[in-house]
Amino acid sequence: MNGFWLSGEQQAIRDAVLKLCARFDADYWRRTDESGEFPEAFVSAMGEAGWLGAAMPVELGGSGLGLTEAAVVMQAVTESGAGFSGASALHLNIFGPMPLARFGTEEQKQRLIPRLISGEDRMCFGVTEPDAGLDTTSLKTRAVRSNDGYVISGRKLWTTMAQRATKMLIVARTTPKADVKRSTDGISLFYVDFDRARIQATPIPKMGRKAVESNAVFIDDLHVPADALVGEEGRGFYYLLEGLNPERVLVGAEAVGLGRAALKKAAAYAKERVVFGRPIGQNQGIAHPLARAWAELEAANLMAFKAAALYDAGLECGAEANAAKYLGGEAGFRACETAVLTHGGMGYAKEFDVERYFREAMIARIAPVSREMIFNFIAERVLGLPKSY
């Protein structure tokens, strides 16, 4: 991004993704939302076009693009009308393997990542736990050394794609919390086969994004080889931190894209819907909220791409990445809410799509980190205020 606009190459990426996404219309996403059917055709098309490996190194079969370009890709997906159903179906392939790419051995990278880029393997990520939530250092999943590797047992929650995953990236304690000097020590990262004889995944019925399931996962004495460990034993928490900022940036950019999709629908409806002899968009009570939504989305977008540019330049971007996730989530939600209200009673009808966008907009307000934890981070790291928890 050159200052405040996309470069020629980035614009070409955006145009190409939007063109591909246009093959999957509102009816397609409406069907997946109603049936819960995974958008297999869409993911396959994105894979064939090479977008699944967009952020992975060229030597591993990826495109070697930066976070900025990954954000362009993912924002185009949500903005096309695919929303978070489309984005979440791709997420773990776009940036999920990054801990492997950064901290895995050369042998691990060469053996494992090309299979993810091609779609031959699909991964899920087991981090959140029922009793820990955002307090990752209190996770209870254990990995105990065995003669030839580790035995992992525990529970994970909100694990996306576990129904169709062949691999799982998982964090577990290798040293009990009581036995480490710092609570962030003693946590390790593993990349394992999703052995369904030892791992049970149960979908969680939820508000939106039915096509991409979230799961409660139970792991019972999963034996994994020593080379399933990624990086050094006990350093897994710090490896997770490396991926937090990119995830926040992508979610923020995607939320902006979703808000834009809703705003486009609302503006079109406001021009076409005639009440009392005039289009409703002629009324300031309709026009002004839509204009405000546009301004908020564009402001949030600037923060997302500022954070991405800082990350790609190797500079500190924690505050900007967190702000991007917060601002994008809030602006996207308000745009979707405004779109529903613009449609009036028809905003509640599935055929106009904005109710689906509205439901999916809640995702970016909740995940991957709460608004309150973002405020805590900024208060402490930017404003120098004392820690509150």
Side-chain angles (χ1 to χ4, degrees):
M1 197 167 184
N2 182 15
F4 299 103
W5 53 87
L6 299 180
S7 69
E9 180 185 2
Q10 291 162 349
Q11 185 62 50
I13 289 171
R14 174 179 162 82
D15 292 343
V17 174
L18 286 173
K19 183 177 180 180
L20 186 155
C21 289
R23 291 158 47 187
F24 302 89
D25 61 10
D27 285 338
Y28 177 84
W29 295 109
R30 218 174 287 140
R31 287 196 304 272
T32 63
D33 181 64
E34 291 172 0
S35 68
E37 179 185 354
F38 185 75
E40 195 71 59
F42 170 72
V43 173
S44 295
M46 290 292 285
E48 290 169 8
W51 298 118
L52 296 187
M56 292 296 104
V58 173
E59 61 271 20
L60 298 177
S63 301
L65 302 177
L67 179 57
T68 300
E69 288 75 26
V72 169
V73 170
M74 298 306 289
Q75 186 178 80
V77 168
T78 55
E79 190 174 338
S80 74
F84 276 103
S85 293
S88 297
L90 304 172
H91 240 296
L92 288 171
N93 286 87
I94 297 290
F95 236 87
M98 196 55 73
L100 271 177
R102 290 202 170 207
F103 305 109
T105 64
E106 194 60 35
E107 189 277 334
Q108 284 176 322
K109 290 188 283 189
Q110 294 291 341
R111 175 167 54 91
L112 301 172
I113 291 179
R115 292 174 60 90
L116 286 170
I117 293 173
S118 68
E120 191 173 354
D121 275 335
R122 285 187 177 168
M123 65 170 279
C124 61
F125 207 161
V127 180
T128 304
E129 295 191 0
D131 299 324
L134 291 173
D135 183 10
T136 305
T137 63
S138 295
L139 61 85
K140 295 179 180 177
T141 298
R142 289 292 314 277
V144 179
R145 277 188 173 273
S146 64
N147 291 333
D148 57 350
Y150 297 85
V151 180
I152 302 176
S153 296
R155 295 188 298 164
K156 298 294 180 181
L157 197 63
W158 296 113
T159 303
T160 299
M161 296 277 283
Q163 292 300 313
R164 53 189 45 79
T166 58
K167 298 287 185 178
M168 187 178 193
L169 195 60
I170 182 171
V171 285
R173 273 215 168 270
T174 40
T175 306
K177 190 175 181 179
D179 297 340
V180 293
K181 292 182 178 179
R182 294 180 297 182
S183 62
T184 50
D185 292 338
I187 297 172
S188 299
L189 186 64
F190 298 89
Y191 188 72
V192 305
D193 289 333
F194 202 104
D195 181 358
R196 296 186 185 274
R198 294 292 179 180
I199 306 174
Q200 177 187 346
T202 304
I204 301 169
K206 59 189 191 296
M207 179 179 180
R209 206 196 64 183
K210 185 178 180 181
V212 182
E213 89 291 336
S214 301
N215 297 269
V217 174
F218 300 85
I219 307 157
D220 183 22
D221 289 342
L222 176 68
H223 291 252
V224 302
D227 65 1
L229 178 70
V230 178
E232 297 178 38
E233 183 179 297
R235 297 285 298 169
F237 182 83
Y238 304 101
Y239 300 156
L240 281 181
L241 292 180
E242 289 284 332
L244 295 184
N245 288 334
E247 184 180 31
R248 284 153 170 69
V249 171
L250 290 179
V251 169
E254 289 161 5
V256 168
L258 180 66
R260 286 175 172 172
L263 188 60
K264 182 178 179 180
K265 289 267 187 180
Y269 186 81
K271 286 184 282 189
E272 296 168 359
R273 174 65 168 158
V274 175
V275 178
F276 298 118
R278 55 195 273 160
I280 62 172
Q282 194 172 345
N283 302 317
Q284 291 181 353
I286 296 293
H288 287 184
L290 294 174
R292 182 178 64 220
W294 179 89
E296 291 175 346
L297 288 169
E298 293 307 303
N301 193 56
L302 288 174
M303 180 59 80
F305 280 96
K306 177 183 179 181
L310 289 170
Y311 180 87
D312 287 338
L315 301 173
E316 174 58 42
C317 67
E320 289 82 1
N322 276 279
K325 185 272 177 189
Y326 167 70
L327 294 171
E330 295 302 300
F333 175 80
R334 283 193 292 271
C336 291
E337 179 188 38
T338 301
V340 170
L341 294 174
T342 299
H343 283 74
M346 298 313 296
Y348 212 66
K350 289 185 180 294
E351 66 177 289
F352 285 86
D353 299 303
V354 291
E355 63 83 31
R356 171 168 57 87
Y357 299 162
F358 181 66
R359 287 184 284 114
E360 291 191 355
M362 284 301 296
I363 295 171
R365 300 182 88 200
I366 299 170
V369 61
S370 69
R371 296 174 297 172
E372 291 71 25
M373 288 301 287
I374 287 174
F375 294 156
N376 285 335
F377 181 92
I378 293 173
E380 295 159 24
R381 303 295 181 87
V382 179
L383 304 179
L385 299 177
K387 190 173 182 178
S388 61
Y389 60 99

